[in-house]
Amino acid sequence: MATPEFILALREKIGTDPLWLTGATAVVVRDAPGGSAASAGSSAREVLLVRRADTGAWSPVGGIVDPGEEPAVAAAREVLEEAAVHAEAVRLALVEVLAPMTYANGDRAQYLDLVFLMRWVGGEPYPADGENLEAAWFPLDALPPLSAAVRARLDAALSDEPQARFRTTPADHPPLAAGADRASSPVETAADTPDEPARRDDDAPARTLEPVTVRRAGEGDAAALTRLRRLMLQAMGVPRADEDDWQATCTRWFAERLAAGTVVAFVVDGDRGDGTTGPVACAVGDFQEHAPEPWNPSGRRGHVFNVSTEPAYRRRGYARATVMALMTWFHDETEVTRVGLSATPDGRAMYEHLGFAEPFGRELVWRIAR
């Protein structure tokens, strides 16, 4: 939905000064067609999710409560406006204060978010108001990639707890980046960026997020992927990162595997320093072969690597956008049931926001000196 009129009127008076607003998040659940009623945690139930146009992330429907509007009514209104689905509130599930945020135009806001468990009444979802790219039902045991914050909202709504969850001490949040709306999880801040050192000081510049166009890389992007890999290795302090031999070999490696489809990469294009236009950010994925397992009959596991952004284009959400595109590809177009990566301390927070977590076991490594 567009910015509510009451906020536009307030902005005329206060400019970009911080606004304290109330938001409502609607976790809409229904019994799967053809299934019998079951508990909230059963795969016989489905949850309504929308894929946001600005970030490409899946989340429940959410929006701003109008002045004088009952929050439960606001949640039902947002579901109807965004997804063309009729729903009614069952209970309040979660009360939380989201981190302060700054929009791309400089407007600042902070939200009290109220998460409601909603019961489906009727209607089939579609992106009704243009705010989202998709709207769909998902079985509870087959959800798309979700951020940790979104999973926490779903967990609160789908639990059997009769009381709403809430905090009694302030959450230690970094400010939300510009361009995110109140229904989203915290997006990539300086400390979340895999190729930029963490910052937590009050003078850290605000990031500006714009709509990000991500495309799948082709064989002709091999040299650019190598250049971005070199930048990543330089930032990590890897010796001999500037040497030519390994870079020529790396370019051939990328070209051969991109052509064969054994490596998949997603990139964001931008104007480069040499006057050309091409990839300025990337995330790459491939497969690791393992013995078949009951939960993974193919034995293949996904692997994310080479997440890198040119310095001039950092703090715009490009790393997050390429990683999310890669996650969607793994989810929709492969059979893998596990995708792993190695996170630096600076990049860990972003990956956790996207849903990556510690494995069930802790890998041990034997290093052989050759």
Side-chain angles (χ1 to χ4, degrees):
M1 62 173 290
T3 304
E5 290 294 332
F6 83 91
I7 292 181
L8 296 177
L10 283 172
R11 288 296 180 198
E12 290 182 359
K13 297 179 174 64
I14 68 170
T16 62
D17 286 352
L19 270 179
W20 173 252
L21 298 168
T22 302
T25 295
V27 179
V28 184
V29 179
R30 74 173 184 180
D31 294 327
S36 58
S39 67
S42 169
S43 59
R45 309 203 80 189
E46 298 176 323
V47 63
L48 176 65
L49 299 174
V50 293
R51 189 160 71 91
R52 294 161 49 84
D54 56 350
T55 66
W58 288 97
S59 70
V61 172
I64 298 171
V65 179
D66 287 336
E69 185 178 30
E70 292 290 347
V73 174
R77 171 180 56 78
E78 289 288 344
V79 172
L80 183 60
E81 291 177 352
E82 292 194 23
V85 166
H86 293 272
E88 59 184 12
V90 175
R91 69 178 182 90
L92 178 65
L94 176 64
V95 179
E96 61 178 341
V97 174
L98 304 186
M101 60 188 302
T102 303
Y103 289 89
N105 63 358
D107 290 349
R108 290 172 288 166
Q110 188 170 14
Y111 290 87
L112 171 67
D113 193 46
L114 307 176
V115 179
F116 290 92
L117 172 65
M118 309 284 289
R119 179 187 296 113
W120 174 74
V121 176
E124 289 302 319
Y126 69 91
D129 66 355
E131 185 176 347
N132 302 296
L133 299 174
E134 300 178 66
W137 295 105
F138 287 90
L140 297 182
D141 58 357
L143 297 173
L146 300 173
S147 71
V150 168
R151 287 188 175 275
R153 293 176 184 135
L154 294 184
D155 181 62
L158 298 172
S159 74
D160 294 326
E161 301 168 11
Q163 303 89 359
R165 297 181 184 181
F166 55 88
R167 297 191 182 97
T168 56
T169 57
D172 183 18
H173 286 306
L176 289 190
D181 79 10
R182 53 132 312 274
S184 70
S185 61
V187 299
E188 180 189 5
T189 64
D192 304 329
T193 310
D195 44 11
E196 181 169 314
R199 294 183 63 172
R200 279 290 184 267
D201 56 275
D202 294 336
D203 296 327
R207 291 174 61 237
T208 299
L209 284 186
E210 302 169 352
V212 180
T213 300
V214 180
R215 66 173 176 86
R216 183 165 170 174
E219 183 179 355
D221 296 305
L225 296 177
T226 297
R227 186 188 72 254
L228 288 166
R229 183 168 182 79
R230 174 176 57 81
L231 290 172
M232 178 188 70
L233 296 177
Q234 287 175 325
M236 295 169 62
V238 174
R240 309 201 318 265
D242 287 329
E243 292 185 1
D244 293 334
D245 289 349
W246 80 266
Q247 293 183 65
T249 302
C250 188
T251 297
R252 289 194 298 272
W253 188 92
F254 275 126
E256 292 169 0
R257 285 157 179 76
L258 288 168
T262 56
V263 163
V264 171
F266 289 90
V267 299
V268 176
D269 291 323
D271 295 328
R272 299 188 297 215
D274 59 3
T276 63
T277 298
V280 296
C282 71
V284 184
D286 63 5
F287 299 98
Q288 298 173 338
E289 301 292 342
H290 293 259
E293 302 154 312
W295 59 90
N296 183 23
S298 73
R300 302 180 93 196
R301 298 179 183 177
H303 177 231
V304 176
F305 67 102
N306 215 76
V307 180
S308 180
T309 305
E310 289 192 2
Y313 288 91
R314 293 172 188 170
R315 301 177 59 80
R316 301 188 186 189
Y318 288 3
R320 171 178 287 266
T322 55
V323 171
M324 289 179 62
L326 191 57
M327 292 168 66
T328 299
W329 180 81
F330 274 121
H331 184 276
D332 294 347
E333 300 187 36
T334 77
E335 74 279 29
V336 302
T337 59
R338 167 176 168 160
V339 178
L341 54 79
S342 296
T344 64
D346 293 335
R348 185 183 180 94
M350 183 189 80
Y351 295 124
E352 288 180 340
H353 288 158
L354 291 175
F356 287 87
E358 292 283 352
F360 294 121
R362 182 76 66 173
E363 183 180 16
L364 302 178
V365 177
W366 176 42
R367 291 178 172 84
I368 304 175
R370 299 283 190 188

